[in-house]
Amino acid sequence: MIHPHRPLVILLALLVPGLLAFDVKGQEPTRGETPMTVYLGTYTGPKSKGIYMTKLDPATGKLSAPEVAAELKNPSFLAIAPSQKFLYAIGEVDEFKGQKAGGISAFSIDPASGKLTLINQQSTGGPGPAFVGVDPSGKVAMVANYGGGSVQSLPIKADGSLGAPASFFQHAGSSVDPARQKEPHAHSINASPDGKFAVAADLGLDKLMVYRLDGASGRMTANEPPFAKTPPGGGPRHLSFAPDGKFAYFVNEMGCSVTAMSYDAEHGTFA
């Protein structure tokens, strides 16, 4: 299932919609030293079987020939746990175990080879998943469902497996563009640097939906205020916090712009 919300990047998405890299020794690489393992998410079909891996030489910038790390249908977005022991992948499918929803899969990472072994799977809770993120503690996975306009959180157990969903929120409303914003489209969800909040960029609403995040239980609850408004018709897609946690930056897909905001870490608010 390939959604029409990515028409401008679909040729790249067929190869690398989600690309992640980490040092196989769990240390920061330096030039001429340890190669990095790079994972590539794909839309599967005749030329793709799932998640691929390749080696990046930090000295030359060259990538080795990709090879299959794990077979999975439409793993269109990937996230690596802070421990670098586990990888989580969205399965962008129309149905998961009889539900009209996508799937999220947990994999263990072999530290020597980089190959992936499936641990378990859970439903994303809604159709058209587009994003999976992991909180800084590595104890919570968060999913954004673009097609369904919803978000969900799941606890991560000590063995890296995904527990039953801890919370689910269905977004509601619309924004100014009748073609693309007549309904919610949650495009991403990121934990704040301190792990106390989760922020979902909803392209359909022109809002950053803010949730308080309980790392112990994996539960999210609506913050007060529950959202921050973004430029009308901009369509926020992905968000990134500055390392010091004082600022946040997000891409407006429809507006072809980037917005900078200050962030209040105590209250989970933006300005």
Side-chain angles (χ1 to χ4, degrees):
M1 177 178 63
I2 300 176
H3 289 287
H5 68 286
R6 294 183 237 190
L8 299 180
V9 297
I10 198 63
L11 292 178
L12 290 177
L14 288 170
L15 296 175
V16 287
L19 185 152
L20 301 170
F22 78 109
D23 178 355
V24 293
K25 290 186 178 179
Q27 302 171 345
E28 278 295 319
T30 56
R31 280 194 171 274
E33 292 188 359
T34 309
M36 300 173 73
T37 300
V38 180
Y39 293 100
L40 301 89
T42 70
Y43 285 115
T44 50
K47 295 184 178 180
S48 174
K49 295 182 178 180
I51 302 171
Y52 285 75
M53 59 178 286
T54 180
K55 298 292 183 179
L56 171 65
D57 184 337
T60 65
K62 291 183 178 180
L63 291 168
S64 63
E67 57 181 299
V68 177
E71 293 192 14
L72 185 69
K73 187 173 182 180
N74 293 343
S76 62
F77 203 90
L78 314 175
I80 293 175
S83 67
Q84 298 187 353
K85 294 180 180 180
F86 309 108
L87 180 145
Y88 300 91
I90 284 299
E92 195 173 323
V93 295
D94 293 311
E95 183 178 301
F96 181 82
K97 295 183 178 179
Q99 300 180 39
K100 189 178 180 182
I104 173 174
S105 300
F107 294 90
S108 61
I109 300 174
D110 184 286
S113 69
K115 288 295 183 73
L116 305 175
T117 301
L118 180 66
I119 302 173
N120 76 330
Q121 297 176 309
Q122 295 281 4
S123 167
T124 64
F131 188 94
V132 57
V134 180
D135 80 315
S137 72
K139 295 180 178 180
V140 188
M142 301 157 292
V143 175
N145 295 303
Y146 180 93
S150 60
V151 294
Q152 178 173 270
S153 64
L154 307 94
I156 296 175
K157 301 178 183 180
D159 64 358
S161 63
L162 295 160
S167 55
F168 174 87
F169 290 89
Q170 177 62 58
H171 295 174
S174 60
S175 195
V176 298
D177 189 318
R180 297 194 62 191
Q181 295 181 311
K182 64 180 180 180
E183 57 193 6
H185 291 300
H187 215 317
S188 64
I189 181 165
N190 295 89
S192 59
D194 60 10
K196 294 181 179 179
F197 294 91
V199 183
D202 196 304
L203 179 147
L205 304 182
D206 284 326
K207 292 178 179 178
L208 300 180
M209 307 298 293
V210 184
Y211 300 94
R212 290 187 174 273
L213 181 63
D214 181 358
S217 67
R219 287 183 57 82
M220 298 190 304
T221 55
N223 190 41
E224 183 55 49
F227 62 83
K229 293 183 179 180
T230 65
R237 176 169 177 148
H238 281 193
L239 176 144
S240 181
F241 283 95
D244 62 8
K246 295 180 180 180
F247 306 98
Y249 306 87
F250 58 89
V251 171
N252 297 288
E253 176 181 316
M254 296 166 58
C256 296
S257 63
V258 177
T259 299
M261 302 186 84
S262 60
Y263 176 67
D264 183 332
E266 181 180 356
H267 301 98
T269 55
F270 297 85

